[in-house]
Amino acid sequence: MRRIRLSLAQINPVVGDLNRNARKIISYINKAKKLKAELIAFPELAVTGYPPEDLLLKPKFIEDNIDTMHKIKKASKGIVTIAGFVDSRDGLLFNAASIISNCRLIDIYHKKHLPNYGVFDEYRYFQAGNRYPVYSLNGINFGVNICEDIWYKNGPANIQALSGAELIININASPYHVGKAEFRKHLVSTRALENHVTIAYVNMTGGQDELVFDGGSFILDTLGKTILKGKQFEEELITFDLEFKNAGPGRNKKSRSGNALTAKKEKAEKIKIQSADSRGRKPALNVRKPVEMLLIEEVYNALVLGTRDYVIKNGFKTVVIGMSGGVDSALVVTIAVDAVGKENVHGLFMPSAYTSKESYDDAGATARNLGIKLITVSINSVFKEYLKTLSKSFKKTGPDITEENLQARIRGNILMAFSNKFGRLVLTTGNKSEMSVGYATLYGDMAGGFAVIKDVPKTMVYDLCNWKNSKERREIIPETVISKEPSAELKPGQRDVDTLPPYTELDPILKAFIEENKSVAEMKKRGYNVKYIKQAVEMVYHSEYKRRQAPPGIKITARAFGKDRRFPITNRYRSK
Amino acid sequence: MRRIRLSLAQINPVVGDLNRNARKIISYINKAKKLKAELIAFPELAVTGYPPEDLLLKPKFIEDNIDTMHKIKKASKGIVTIAGFVDSRDGLLFNAASIISNCRLIDIYHKKHLPNYGVFDEYRYFQAGNRYPVYSLNGINFGVNICEDIWYKNGPANIQALSGAELIININASPYHVGKAEFRKHLVSTRALENHVTIAYVNMTGGQDELVFDGGSFILDTLGKTILKGKQFEEELITFDLEFKNAGPGRNKKSRSGNALTAKKEKAEKIKIQSADSRGRKPALNVRKPVEMLLIEEVYNALVLGTRDYVIKNGFKTVVIGMSGGVDSALVVTIAVDAVGKENVHGLFMPSAYTSKESYDDAGATARNLGIKLITVSINSVFKEYLKTLSKSFKKTGPDITEENLQARIRGNILMAFSNKFGRLVLTTGNKSEMSVGYATLYGDMAGGFAVIKDVPKTMVYDLCNWKNSKERREIIPETVISKEPSAELKPGQRDVDTLPPYTELDPILKAFIEENKSVAEMKKRGYNVKYIKQAVEMVYHSEYKRRQAPPGIKITARAFGKDRRFPITNRYRSK
């Protein structure tokens, strides 16, 4: 039996903060060394954070990132360190992994499969790699590859396995969306089984603008079964003793004969790594099974982590949120409290003449349940003064959307004034259903730095509230908030259903249209209400200009607004 | 002597408006047929408009675009039509050109070189082509390729020339930036000379969100000399009789021997096109030389076209602009008048207690010079009412940036109220220098649908004003507006230089940092003021969150904000 003690360092880097990322990486190296690990693997682009976007076009940034990798190299005494960074050869860039042993750079692996869809732009920056070496450490043969590389049947893992790799270390910066963790496990499991290899999958954790990396690193055996799984949505050093049977010669070829026909053999290359010091008695490892999360719990945790990291990594400490008494703002405040602590969350209730007594009570009850400060600032007198100022110019017109938007914009201005005066980040409260159809006011309720639930459909907003209340075993979001009819309260008796289809009908249409790119005819075939389909599609197309000016928010679905969906504003296409 | 009458249709499509684009294409086919042209070429993706972005992910859109191509095919009786569209094979997409003759689809060319940098995302959608046929029409051999294909020395044009092509038809959707036309001509001229071929370069014209396509199609002879050049920034049908000598066998190999060594010969493929009806006497062609434009004139025209198309293609007729009496708003109003007509441009002057008498006079003079309506709406009473409303919450604080931003935001709200009430698009007036360093108020002066001069550095704003005045031979932008010191007038005695480096020092630093990705050290070497470099760099990094919520505006430099520059908001990198 051959044995290797392996550490997966599921860390949360900050994009661009090379020094901080290096300190963090080195501290994890030291932790792993204390546990007598022989090998430690960090996520994809752990040195720079992911995605660095157009920072990659700055030659000085690339240079600084390479210097940082060498700093990490010097700290890798007595351990093999694998860490993602950006390599540069003759001015061409590669999404790379350094293979460092005992302070020496043994090799650099270049990512082969570069994602250029969804939120990814890797062809914008990187060249594809074409070397798939197998390393040998203390008699164990392993290959290293990066993220998307593991998605391809005949990709790097297959070539490495055919060259004798028993273990594949796949380093990732794989962003979260609902169901992604299950999808990843299924896919990587197939790869393990096909190639009869053990796979160690290490993922990043943390929030970066629109993205949340959900961690959940794992190790699968050669049958694709999970040996070990890391925590989701938090940093962790996962250390484990992997055991490999002493196989006779020819074993590899035999067990992988099925794949041998399809793979390119010309790339086989073997590199022996000088044995890291693995002598001495090793401390026993305390491996616990992580608690499996419900999907709704995953979403909630993604929202908390995404919010926390956006606030903190951008140098803020406190946030301010407009509380209307409605369910969206109640959920956002709840998430914010879990993200940055109740003492750092400030609520603003900004009533007008159309605000109901119930809204006031509900906003107050939510604030009390969470233990946060709630300040009331009426918009009435400012609204009246605007109307007076505009009366001459508008004298021949009746009230319309203008006056509704004006109220929302006064609230936006007041929130921004609190932000400017006290240095608090404004969190907006619009959900995905509203963002999709443009049921929101630019510079009004859309004003703020971060849109927490921008990618959460309204029906899921309710699910999250109910889940949170039941998890806490008490009412956080008051039942009255959850059960009342949604209204923007911008004119007397206003209800969302006067303008929009009911959310239970709207949300499936939006999912089909936005996430699945279904046509009107296909949606009709599914039996969705034809009137609602047409209404929704027209509203989605028409409101592109609003979304272009929306703050970023956390991606939790298969297709979020932002980098994930790039749509022309000037667009006259209307699908049938 | 062999002869072909060739038409280049430099058209302005609308993204997604397949029916309108088809009607336009067919009307140009009919015009060309009246002129007895044997061949007509349309721009890249003429059927869909460029760039269709994520519309391309909708299978129904692809299907509709192919149907549209077949509609065009049916209208191509007695003429060869080359038009850009999206081809689909087994679910894979290609940026393609249809080669249609006499209502029959003869062949489809697939673009080989897919740009995936700057504003381009072609790897997100398309697969690369790998066939480079040569067509023969009435004894003349020609190759077709698409845009970026012509940028590569050993690219499709070289392979086609080696297969006997005498003429290369290169179809484009090439967006404008200052100096691009000259760059294109130089590059394509090199390609003509290398391959000893005539090149017909047809470009799109028109505005599409951030991009302006500047037309300026041209034909070069085998020595790379310009035979003919189309107008810039407008539609045109360019028709010309090209003549080719009757060469003996072996001519091709001899004259292109230099390249023969490097090119791949295996792709040679010849397709004969049934002769289009070229009998009958042809009408004489009236070819005039287009007026060459100064670079500053090009920029001005790009801004006018970009503004006009954004307004019109999005269904607006009129615009409203906040006029401060400053040079930026004066320029934007002037551009708007040229774009949509003075009767459709509405100015709003919104003075506060800090607005000078000079500002009032200057805004008024500009409006009079242009013959537009100017309405005055004071923000004083609303501002006072905000301060009263906020006084309790802000009681322990002194005035700061909060109150300045509040004034800008009241103006933003009033502009949006005019927009909502009367259906006018708000044009914002911020320049690139301000956008770069974040010297602008989110939801204040940044509020609006389209940011006309967002990519125009402040120093170029002055150049454009002076050019416009001298072109019109009268004062459009008053001399007092051009010569006075810039101020935001948000507090007493405020001047831009109190917060920013002087623009003549700032603009070269911004160009080096943003367009050229120079490091601090490199900028120091160029002799820029060290204090100003540090100040500018920090301000650019820090204001990323503002730009993310800015309206789109017209790209006129080598690197504009928007799709052209993709930067993380959460980013702690500070280059040295």
Side-chain angles (χ1 to χ4, degrees):
Chain A
M1 210 59 125
R2 295 157 301 143
R3 204 170 270 154
I4 189 169
R5 182 161 286 193
L6 174 72
S7 281
L8 303 180
Q10 177 176 299
I11 62 165
N12 181 349
V14 174
V15 164
D17 200 341
L18 303 173
N19 288 334
R20 174 194 173 281
N21 296 345
R23 280 195 306 274
K24 185 177 283 288
I25 288 169
I26 292 168
S27 83
Y28 272 79
I29 288 173
N30 290 333
K31 276 185 219 173
K33 280 165 66 175
K34 270 194 196 136
L35 294 172
K36 300 268 182 194
E38 286 140 277
L39 191 152
I40 182 167
F42 291 89
E44 179 179 17
L45 295 195
V47 166
T48 60
Y50 191 92
E53 301 189 71
D54 279 7
L55 277 170
L56 293 168
L57 304 181
K58 295 183 175 286
K60 184 71 169 92
F61 178 73
I62 302 302
E63 209 179 285
D64 290 347
N65 127 91
I66 290 173
D67 289 349
T68 307
M69 187 272 287
H70 286 292
K71 208 186 286 180
I72 293 160
K73 182 187 73 181
K74 284 180 195 148
S76 300
K77 193 163 161 58
I79 193 164
V80 174
T81 301
I82 294 161
F85 77 111
V86 183
D87 194 21
S88 170
R89 301 272 170 103
D90 307 320
L92 300 178
L93 303 185
F94 297 87
N95 184 333
S98 63
I99 290 91
I100 297 165
S101 173
N102 212 7
C103 306
R104 275 186 54 229
L105 182 62
I106 303 293
D107 196 26
I108 295 174
Y109 174 83
H110 291 162
K111 185 177 185 176
K112 158 79 174 165
H113 294 286
L114 304 173
N116 206 70
Y117 55 81
V119 301
F120 302 108
D121 275 320
E122 293 205 7
Y123 270 108
R124 185 174 171 88
Y125 311 107
F126 300 123
Q127 307 293 313
N130 59 7
R131 276 180 64 243
Y132 317 100
V134 171
Y135 311 103
S136 148
L137 175 67
N138 298 342
I140 292 159
N141 297 321
F142 69 96
V144 171
N145 55 49
I146 304 179
C147 206
E148 193 91 353
D149 283 342
I150 204 77
W151 292 49
Y152 290 81
K153 186 175 166 66
N154 297 320
N158 181 238
I159 300 171
Q160 290 162 333
L162 284 167
S163 304
E166 304 154 277
L167 166 67
I168 299 291
I169 296 167
N170 175 246
I171 69 171
N172 292 269
S174 177
Y176 173 77
H177 66 77
V178 64
K180 182 88 169 275
E182 189 55 33
F183 180 73
R184 263 183 222 134
K185 207 188 97 180
H186 178 74
L187 187 112
V188 179
S189 161
T190 308
R191 217 55 74 231
L193 201 59
E194 281 168 4
N195 294 298
H196 198 61
V197 286
T198 301
I199 301 185
Y201 180 105
V202 57
N203 196 14
M204 193 174 271
T205 189
Q208 170 62 27
D209 290 352
E210 299 175 339
L211 303 181
V212 167
F213 301 94
D214 51 331
S217 303
F218 55 83
I219 302 177
L220 305 181
D221 67 17
T222 56
L223 297 173
K225 293 245 168 69
T226 305
I227 299 176
L228 189 72
K229 195 186 158 203
K231 291 178 188 168
Q232 283 177 275
F233 306 105
E234 51 183 300
E235 287 199 337
E236 190 179 18
L237 184 73
I238 303 153
T239 304
F240 190 75
D241 288 321
L242 278 177
E243 297 184 338
F244 297 88
K245 282 186 199 139
N246 292 320
R251 167 194 160 274
N252 290 342
K253 273 183 199 148
K254 215 160 143 195
S255 64
R256 291 178 197 110
S257 55
N259 279 325
L261 295 168
T262 52
K264 297 164 200 156
K265 286 196 175 173
E266 69 275 22
K267 300 290 173 195
E269 185 183 348
K270 297 194 187 183
I271 297 174
K272 192 166 174 174
I273 298 177
Q274 287 300 317
S275 166
D277 188 0
S278 62
R279 284 168 305 179
R281 204 181 165 77
K282 298 194 176 199
L285 292 173
N286 194 4
V287 177
R288 31 118 229 86
K289 246 195 143 158
V291 184
E292 288 290 329
M293 284 184 191
L294 298 171
L295 285 184
I296 194 75
E297 187 175 8
E298 274 188 7
V299 171
Y300 189 86
N301 282 301
L303 296 171
V304 169
L305 177 56
T307 302
R308 179 189 302 132
D309 274 7
Y310 191 87
V311 173
I312 304 299
K313 289 180 178 179
N314 281 293
F316 287 91
K317 194 170 174 282
T318 60
V319 299
V320 57
I321 299 162
M323 292 179 72
S324 66
V327 70
D328 297 315
S329 55
L331 176 62
V332 170
V333 169
T334 306
I335 292 165
V337 165
D338 282 338
V340 296
K342 64 181 179 183
E343 66 282 9
N344 295 317
V345 178
H346 298 255
L348 265 187
F349 182 68
M350 296 172 281
S352 74
Y354 311 125
T355 306
S356 63
K357 169 77 172 57
E358 289 72 29
S359 293
Y360 180 79
D361 294 343
D362 286 339
T366 308
R368 272 192 307 280
N369 291 352
L370 289 161
I372 64 159
K373 288 175 257 334
L374 180 67
I375 292 173
T376 298
V377 178
S378 162
I379 65 163
N380 264 331
S381 58
V382 172
F383 182 50
K384 276 185 203 155
E385 201 58 48
Y386 266 112
L387 296 182
K388 212 185 287 173
T389 292
L390 293 167
S391 61
K392 205 179 135 202
S393 305
F394 290 1
K395 67 175 173 245
K396 286 175 193 157
T397 69
D400 55 22
I401 191 80
T402 311
E403 287 74 17
E404 295 183 41
N405 282 340
L406 203 42
Q407 294 166 63
R409 290 187 179 121
I410 295 167
R411 293 192 175 108
N413 286 4
I414 291 174
L415 279 164
M416 290 305 294
F418 274 81
S419 173
N420 288 157
K421 191 61 91 180
F422 303 113
R424 292 172 195 150
L425 185 73
V426 177
L427 300 180
T428 67
T429 61
N431 60 59
K432 189 176 195 175
S433 311
E434 292 172 355
M435 285 300 103
S436 301
V437 294
Y439 196 64
T441 302
L442 258 179
Y443 324 130
D445 51 310
M446 288 176 70
F450 199 60
V452 176
I453 58 169
K454 173 184 189 181
D455 198 34
V456 180
K458 183 79 169 191
T459 47
M460 198 192 277
V461 167
Y462 291 108
D463 293 343
L464 286 163
C465 291
N466 288 323
W467 172 82
K468 179 66 179 173
N469 282 352
S470 84
K471 196 205 161 208
E472 301 292 335
R473 293 165 194 247
R474 69 184 181 99
E475 212 172 67
I476 301 284
I477 296 109
E479 193 45 47
T480 49
V481 170
I482 296 174
S483 60
K484 72 178 163 188
E485 176 151 19
S487 165
E489 294 194 328
L490 293 170
K491 61 181 181 182
Q494 192 175 39
R495 301 173 312 160
D496 288 13
V497 286
D498 299 333
T499 310
L500 305 178
Y503 289 113
T504 49
E505 304 237 19
L506 178 61
D507 280 355
I509 294 172
L510 293 174
K511 186 170 194 291
F513 188 60
I514 294 162
E515 293 181 42
E516 302 165 20
N517 276 314
K518 294 296 176 201
S519 68
V520 171
E522 287 168 315
M523 290 189 278
K524 279 182 193 167
K525 241 185 233 166
R526 286 194 183 174
Y528 301 152
N529 179 306
V530 177
K531 192 184 118 198
Y532 293 155
I533 293 173
K534 287 190 180 161
Q535 187 185 356
V537 164
E538 183 54 39
M539 290 179 96
V540 170
Y541 276 129
H542 183 71
S543 53
E544 195 54 44
Y545 74 100
K546 289 191 187 180
R547 287 188 290 273
R548 194 65 72 91
Q549 294 189 42
I554 303 156
K555 172 181 164 74
I556 62 118
T557 70
R559 190 175 303 274
F561 295 121
K563 284 175 59 174
D564 205 7
R565 182 177 176 275
R566 306 177 188 181
F567 235 75
I569 296 176
T570 305
N571 162 32
R572 293 208 192 135
Y573 183 65
R574 296 296 182 265
S575 61
K576 296 238 169 57
Chain B
M1 210 58 125
R2 292 159 302 142
R3 204 171 270 155
I4 189 170
R5 184 162 284 193
L6 175 72
S7 281
L8 303 181
Q10 177 177 298
I11 62 164
N12 182 349
V14 174
V15 164
D17 200 342
L18 303 173
N19 288 335
R20 175 194 172 281
N21 297 343
R23 281 195 306 274
K24 185 179 282 290
I25 289 170
I26 292 169
S27 83
Y28 272 79
I29 288 174
N30 291 333
K31 277 186 219 174
K33 279 164 69 176
K34 270 195 196 138
L35 293 172
K36 301 268 181 192
E38 286 139 278
L39 191 153
I40 183 167
F42 291 89
E44 179 180 18
L45 295 195
V47 166
T48 61
Y50 192 91
E53 301 187 75
D54 279 7
L55 277 171
L56 293 168
L57 304 181
K58 294 183 175 286
K60 183 72 170 91
F61 178 74
I62 303 302
E63 208 179 284
D64 290 347
N65 125 91
I66 289 174
D67 289 349
T68 306
M69 188 271 287
H70 285 292
K71 208 186 286 182
I72 292 161
K73 183 188 72 181
K74 284 179 196 150
S76 300
K77 193 165 162 55
I79 194 164
V80 173
T81 300
I82 294 161
F85 78 110
V86 182
D87 193 22
S88 170
R89 302 272 169 102
D90 307 320
L92 300 178
L93 303 185
F94 297 87
N95 184 333
S98 62
I99 290 92
I100 296 165
S101 173
N102 212 9
C103 306
R104 275 186 56 229
L105 182 62
I106 302 293
D107 196 26
I108 295 172
Y109 174 84
H110 291 162
K111 186 177 184 178
K112 158 78 173 166
H113 294 286
L114 304 173
N116 207 69
Y117 54 82
V119 300
F120 302 107
D121 275 320
E122 294 205 6
Y123 269 108
R124 185 174 172 88
Y125 312 106
F126 300 123
Q127 307 293 312
N130 59 5
R131 276 181 64 240
Y132 317 99
V134 171
Y135 310 104
S136 147
L137 175 68
N138 299 342
I140 291 158
N141 296 321
F142 69 96
V144 171
N145 55 50
I146 304 178
C147 204
E148 192 91 352
D149 283 341
I150 204 78
W151 292 50
Y152 290 81
K153 186 176 165 68
N154 297 319
N158 181 237
I159 299 171
Q160 289 162 332
L162 284 167
S163 305
E166 304 155 278
L167 167 67
I168 299 290
I169 296 167
N170 175 247
I171 69 171
N172 293 269
S174 177
Y176 173 77
H177 66 76
V178 64
K180 183 87 168 275
E182 189 55 35
F183 180 72
R184 264 183 220 132
K185 206 188 100 180
H186 179 75
L187 188 112
V188 179
S189 160
T190 308
R191 216 56 73 232
L193 200 59
E194 280 168 6
N195 295 298
H196 198 63
V197 287
T198 302
I199 302 185
Y201 180 104
V202 56
N203 195 14
M204 193 174 269
T205 189
Q208 170 62 25
D209 289 353
E210 299 175 338
L211 303 181
V212 168
F213 301 94
D214 52 328
S217 303
F218 55 83
I219 302 177
L220 304 181
D221 67 18
T222 56
L223 297 172
K225 292 248 169 66
T226 306
I227 298 176
L228 189 72
K229 194 187 159 203
K231 290 178 187 167
Q232 283 175 275
F233 305 106
E234 51 184 300
E235 288 199 335
E236 191 179 16
L237 183 74
I238 303 154
T239 303
F240 190 76
D241 288 321
L242 279 177
E243 296 184 340
F244 297 89
K245 282 187 198 137
N246 293 321
R251 168 193 159 276
N252 289 344
K253 274 183 201 149
K254 212 159 145 196
S255 63
R256 292 177 196 113
S257 57
N259 278 327
L261 294 169
T262 53
K264 298 164 200 157
K265 286 197 174 171
E266 69 275 20
K267 298 290 174 196
E269 185 184 347
K270 297 197 185 183
I271 297 173
K272 190 163 177 179
I273 298 178
Q274 287 300 320
S275 167
D277 187 0
S278 61
R279 286 167 304 178
R281 202 181 166 78
K282 297 194 175 202
L285 292 173
N286 193 5
V287 177
R288 31 117 228 87
K289 245 195 146 162
V291 185
E292 288 290 330
M293 284 184 191
L294 298 171
L295 285 185
I296 194 76
E297 189 176 7
E298 274 188 7
V299 171
Y300 188 86
N301 283 301
L303 297 171
V304 169
L305 177 57
T307 302
R308 179 187 302 132
D309 274 7
Y310 191 87
V311 174
I312 305 298
K313 289 180 179 180
N314 281 293
F316 287 91
K317 193 170 175 280
T318 61
V319 300
V320 56
I321 300 163
M323 292 179 72
S324 68
V327 69
D328 297 316
S329 55
L331 176 61
V332 170
V333 169
T334 305
I335 291 165
V337 166
D338 283 337
V340 297
K342 66 181 179 184
E343 66 282 8
N344 295 317
V345 178
H346 298 256
L348 264 187
F349 182 68
M350 296 172 282
S352 75
Y354 310 126
T355 305
S356 63
K357 169 78 171 58
E358 288 72 30
S359 293
Y360 179 80
D361 294 343
D362 286 337
T366 307
R368 273 193 306 280
N369 292 351
L370 289 162
I372 65 159
K373 289 175 260 323
L374 180 67
I375 292 174
T376 298
V377 179
S378 163
I379 65 163
N380 264 330
S381 57
V382 172
F383 183 51
K384 276 186 204 155
E385 202 58 48
Y386 266 112
L387 295 181
K388 213 185 286 174
T389 292
L390 294 166
S391 61
K392 205 180 134 200
S393 305
F394 289 1
K395 68 176 173 242
K396 284 175 194 157
T397 69
D400 55 21
I401 191 80
T402 311
E403 288 74 16
E404 296 183 40
N405 282 341
L406 203 42
Q407 295 166 62
R409 289 187 179 124
I410 295 167
R411 293 192 175 108
N413 286 4
I414 291 175
L415 278 165
M416 290 306 295
F418 274 81
S419 173
N420 288 157
K421 192 59 89 181
F422 303 112
R424 293 171 195 151
L425 185 73
V426 177
L427 299 181
T428 68
T429 62
N431 61 58
K432 189 175 196 176
S433 311
E434 292 171 355
M435 284 301 104
S436 301
V437 295
Y439 195 65
T441 301
L442 257 179
Y443 326 128
D445 51 309
M446 287 176 71
F450 200 59
V452 176
I453 59 171
K454 175 185 188 180
D455 198 35
V456 179
K458 183 79 169 191
T459 46
M460 198 192 277
V461 168
Y462 291 109
D463 294 343
L464 286 164
C465 291
N466 287 324
W467 173 81
K468 179 68 179 172
N469 282 350
S470 83
K471 196 207 161 208
E472 301 291 334
R473 294 166 194 245
R474 71 185 181 97
E475 212 172 68
I476 301 285
I477 296 110
E479 194 45 47
T480 48
V481 170
I482 297 174
S483 60
K484 72 179 163 187
E485 177 152 18
S487 165
E489 294 195 329
L490 294 170
K491 61 181 182 183
Q494 191 176 39
R495 301 173 313 160
D496 288 12
V497 287
D498 299 334
T499 310
L500 305 178
Y503 289 112
T504 48
E505 305 238 16
L506 177 62
D507 280 355
I509 294 171
L510 293 174
K511 184 169 194 291
F513 187 61
I514 294 162
E515 293 181 41
E516 301 165 22
N517 276 314
K518 294 296 174 202
S519 69
V520 171
E522 286 168 316
M523 290 189 278
K524 279 182 193 166
K525 241 184 234 166
R526 285 194 184 174
Y528 303 150
N529 179 307
V530 177
K531 192 184 116 200
Y532 294 154
I533 294 173
K534 288 189 179 161
Q535 189 185 355
V537 165
E538 183 53 39
M539 290 178 96
V540 170
Y541 277 128
H542 183 71
S543 53
E544 196 54 43
Y545 73 101
K546 289 191 187 180
R547 288 188 290 272
R548 195 64 73 91
Q549 294 189 43
I554 302 156
K555 171 180 165 73
I556 61 118
T557 69
R559 191 175 300 275
F561 295 121
K563 284 175 59 175
D564 206 8
R565 181 177 177 276
R566 306 175 189 183
F567 235 75
I569 296 176
T570 305
N571 162 32
R572 292 208 194 135
Y573 184 64
R574 295 298 183 264
S575 61
K576 296 238 168 59

